[in-house]
Amino acid sequence: MNGPTSTFVRACGLSELEEDTPKRVELDGTPVSVVQTEGEVFAIHDICSHANVSLSEGEVEDCQIECWLHGSSFDLRTGKPSGLPATRPVPVYPVKIEGDDVLVSLNQES
């Protein structure tokens, strides 16, 4: 498949988001954590790459989301872990804002 296949779906309303408070949504069966922080909105896969737990239950600080179970943090922009025990990144997804709608594409940016 070549060409742009990005399809954005509504994840939530911008007014539903609280600063630095992750919101868990499910898009086509994929768990996604939507986070508004530092004036931007990010979408990151909601399952930690180290342990099968929800990242949206963790804390957000300095554009990082922390896994509440073992303390690994992931960059909301890249999905890369910034500390052990996680060593693998988690997917991040493109976000568009249209009015009050937060739209997310499950097609990953490469």
Side-chain angles (χ1 to χ4, degrees), residues 3-63:
T5 55
S6 268
T7 47
F8 283 84
V9 293
R10 185 180 189 278
C12 62
L14 191 57
S15 57
E16 296 173 49
L17 297 176
E18 292 179 45
E19 185 78 8
D20 296 335
T21 302
K23 179 174 182 62
R24 185 181 203 273
V25 296
E26 231 175 78
L27 306 174
D28 292 332
T30 301
V32 176
S33 184
V34 180
V35 181
Q36 181 176 0
T37 186
E38 299 179 11
E40 290 187 71
V41 178
F42 300 94
I44 189 167
H45 192 71
D46 192 44
I47 304 300
C48 178
S49 63
H50 170 256
N52 191 23
V53 297
S54 176
L55 291 176
S56 62
E57 295 176 31
E59 308 255 323
V60 173
E61 191 175 331
D62 297 330
C63 230

